[in-house]
Amino acid sequence: MDAWEEGLPGKPCFSVQPRLCWWLSPFFLTCAVYFLLWIPQDRPSWVGALVKCLPVVCLVVSLQTVRWGRGYRALLQGALLCSAVGDACLIWPDAFLYGVAAFTAAHLLYLWAFGLAPLRPGLLLPIALVSGPYYGALLLHLPAGMVPALAAYSLVLAAMLWRGLAGGGSVRWGALLFTLSDMLLAWDTFVQPLPHARLLVMTTYYAAQLLITLSAFPSPRLKTS
């Protein structure tokens, strides 16, 4: 039995990369479908919601192939499923706060998955220096009824970013891109329309989810002994 089949992340076989590309091909295909169809946002529909959610659902399915770290895998799958629910809710303006709640749950699951080791508290200062002024300005433009939910969400998102940066690897970049995507979306929605906002938001969002998902797969490396 090869190292991949035994579930040893340190010594996978040489066929890991082709397998990984195969397992992730539905994600890339459904991303292409989303961007090619580019269903107008001003006409919410279940078809539009399905097309938007499918790439994330494909990542959930791809994680079923991971044979080590099943607790970590399950937390990522839960976070991705919550994200898919959030994606669908954000299609309809009246369901916006339900979407916020779903993404809050997703980030809490990511927090649980990333853990608290290494702690790296020094990361909190730069995160606060960037996110504090941004969210302070954003909250001034929110309807009063949305302020508590979005304030709570911003804190959870900042905590997820902290743990992602502390973890390093693909998780670091995934957490950064997720935060960037959310900041672009919020600014475009509540403060000022941004050029090519939807393209930027969805590109960074899908890339973020992919990078976080990749953290569950063993990294191919040469076997030295």
Side-chain angles (χ1 to χ4, degrees):
M1 182 179 294
D2 60 32
W4 172 267
E5 291 173 341
E6 291 175 349
L8 301 177
K11 298 181 179 179
C13 66
F14 290 112
S15 61
V16 167
Q17 284 181 309
R19 290 182 188 179
L20 183 58
C21 292
W22 174 256
W23 292 328
L24 292 175
S25 58
F27 166 78
F28 292 111
L29 177 61
T30 50
C31 281
V33 169
Y34 173 82
F35 288 112
L36 287 172
L37 291 180
W38 205 243
I39 298 173
Q41 290 182 305
D42 58 354
R43 295 196 296 273
S45 68
W46 285 107
V47 173
L50 177 63
V51 171
K52 185 181 180 185
C53 295
L54 272 178
V56 175
V57 173
C58 287
L59 291 177
V60 174
V61 176
S62 72
L63 281 169
Q64 281 298 114
T65 63
V66 176
R67 299 185 181 182
W68 68 280
R70 293 185 180 180
Y72 182 75
R73 179 193 74 183
L75 289 171
L76 293 194
Q77 287 178 310
L80 288 166
L81 287 173
C82 288
S83 297
V85 172
D87 287 333
C89 290
L90 294 183
I91 291 284
W92 289 273
D94 290 344
F96 181 83
L97 287 180
Y98 294 106
V100 172
F103 276 112
T104 301
H107 290 310
L108 288 172
L109 288 170
Y110 279 140
L111 272 171
W112 189 357
F114 299 161
L116 292 175
L119 193 60
R120 300 193 64 187
L123 291 170
L124 291 171
L125 179 59
I127 291 173
L129 290 176
V130 173
S131 61
Y134 170 84
Y135 287 111
L138 178 65
L139 292 175
L140 296 176
H141 293 82
L142 294 177
M146 290 187 177
V147 169
L150 289 178
Y153 176 78
S154 66
L155 290 174
V156 173
L157 178 63
M160 186 280 295
L161 176 60
W162 169 41
R163 299 317 310 146
L165 292 175
S170 64
V171 164
R172 171 195 301 150
W173 300 108
L176 277 170
L177 285 177
F178 211 133
T179 303
L180 175 61
S181 178
D182 274 12
M183 285 181 163
L184 290 170
L185 175 61
W187 199 265
D188 178 69
T189 302
F190 297 109
V191 182
Q192 181 180 357
L194 300 173
H196 311 295
R198 183 182 173 193
L199 178 62
L200 292 171
V201 167
M202 296 310 299
T203 301
T204 51
Y205 170 70
Y206 286 141
Q209 297 284 33
L210 173 63
L211 287 166
I212 293 173
T213 298
L214 287 175
S215 68
F217 290 90
S219 300
R221 60 184 69 172
L222 291 175
K223 189 173 182 178
T224 58
S225 61

